[in-house]
Amino acid sequence: MIRFEQVGKRYPNGHTGLVDVSFRVHRGEMVFVTGHSGAGKSTLLKLILALEKADAGKILLAGQDISEITHAQIPFLRRQIGVVFQNHRLLPDRSVFENVALPLQILGLSREQMTKRVHAALDKVGLLRKEKCLPQDISTGEQQRVGIARAVVHKPALLLADEPTGNLDPRLAAEIMGLFEDFHRAGTTVLVASHDLALIARMRHRLLTLQRGRIIGDGESG
Amino acid sequence: MSDKPQKIGQEAAAARPAKRGAKRDQHGWRETLRAYGRSHKASLHDSVGRLWAQPISTLLTWLVMGIALSLPMGMGLLLDSLEKLGGSWQRAAQISVFLELRLPEAESQALSLRIADMAHVADVELISREQALAEFQQQSGLGEALKELPENPLPALIVVTPKEVERAGLEALLSELQGLPGVAQAQLDLAWVERLAAMLSLGQRFVFGIALLLIAGLLLVVGNTIRLAIEGRRQEIEVIKLVGGTDGYVRRPFLYIGVLYGFGAGLIAWVLLAFGLSWLNDAVVRLAGLYQSDFALIGVPVEEGLLLMLGSVMLGYCGAWLAVGRHLRELEAQVQ
Ligand SMILES: Nc1ncnc2c1ncn2[C@@H]1O[C@H](COP(=O)(O)OP(=O)(O)OP(=O)(O)O)[C@@H](O)[C@H]1O
Ligand SMILES: [Mg+2]
């Protein structure tokens, strides 16, 4: 599903993002990426999303080489991926329903298809009752769950999350991780960047450890 | 709805009961088209909603654009009306060609036909010696007295209406007529004709210049308004790009806003012109009446009005396009 071959990324200001990173993630796998602040976790996810361009190596996503991707192809790449951010990035002036519907709107789905899918996604994160609320009127944990619903509403093959539990207390964080495990069990490939080692240790999944842009560990968590 | 993740392409195909081969391709093709249409409809709906949500600022933008558009358009229409007067101006530029006294009637006729065939001549009228005398008798009131003359003292006359009212052309025509055999003298009063022509061309230039300036101004107005709209929706644009919105998708609502601005402005300009010209016309007709003229302003012909709308919509679209193009590139650099 994901394949990095000797990928390097250096930012224009001289900071090192990644150095000679190679790994493979198979379809349906669930993988944690961890490491200290500045280790390159976000950089790794940004490269997959084509938010940044690698300056060395090759990145293959479902067989497609995204280091060679054209500007016009990027949106279609992103439509196959769901992303969850630490600060959820919900649009404040749109209801929960409309926020979750955004990726479907882009695809031009009909109203009824859209409603069906949004309801299904909200149901999975347990927020069906809050569909008419504005993001500011629900709790932080709920906001993050709406963000997850938006990431999965178009049923992406790959789900990426960058510090999805960063702002949450441990109980909520565990709940959110539980959601990712649900999607993993349903067949989605899941890649979660997090430095919450305590939380990761309680789940048995593959763990990639980064340090100053290099992979220094690849094994089972826990 | 299954929980299994799928690629989008597979999803669209799987959304309908599977049919075989070409039928299925056709479905995919139609669904893509339908999705495109729905996405446009949603963008338009969204843009109308946004303009509606800020009625005052929308109305102000429409008014600014509408007034700016109606100025050159109105002046252009006024000039058109004046050009309709052109008929009488051409008459003012008529050249009187006096023929030699002894020229036989048949030759006068032939000469008038020849002049009528000349390139810059719009119309000729032959006034024979008898007609000239009769006219003179009538106008001078000397009727009976003139009958006492042993011979008609008046030459035949050809009145030539030129096609253009422009000095060089008229003078060339004049000397050409002067040189024709059988012509005694050709006469033209150029001074005021020339003045009118000069004023007309000055007017046209002025309108053209104003139109250019105002069009540039309108592009800036639309561009700036759209720029503000983009600033206000920065976050939304970033998220849309993150979840797979194409540049076209991001651009679309702003282009619709530009088009809607143009449409409203065009309508307002049309209404302003219609009222403005009819208000002016009352005065013009009264004035023309004093000069025994039935001159009246043209008003806004429907074709011109439609053209105005089209131009205005295009202006809105272009202004929006320029603004979005620029700011998308700036945003692009910042999303990352
Ligand atoms: N846009 C950028 N421009 C320049 N340097 C950057 C940029 N983004 C990240 N970096 C640098 O690249 C390195 C890796 O950053 P990255 O954001 O990938 O780390 P991270 O593991 O996600 O850290 P954190 O846990 O704090 O989120 C850091 O040294 C950082 O300063
Ligand atoms: Mg990070």
Side-chain angles (χ1 to χ4, degrees), chain A residues 36-43 45-46 86 162-163 193 195:
Chain A
H36 294 295
S37 179
K41 307 181 291 292
S42 299
T43 303
L45 298 187
K46 282 180 187 168
Q86 177 171 356
D162 195 356
E163 310 281 3
H195 52 225

Side-chain angles (χ1 to χ4, degrees), chain B residues 207-229:
Chain B
V207 168
F208 185 70
I210 293 250
L212 278 189
L213 276 180
L214 287 173
I215 283 172
L218 284 183
L219 280 177
L220 290 179
V221 167
V222 176
N224 193 48
T225 314
I226 299 283
R227 187 181 62 81
L228 290 175

Side-chain angles (χ1 to χ4, degrees), chain B residues 85 88 283-295:
Chain B
L85 261 184
S88 22
V284 168
V285 166
R286 217 171 307 131
L287 185 71
L290 294 180
Y291 288 89
Q292 270 96 45
S293 163
D294 54 1
F295 174 64

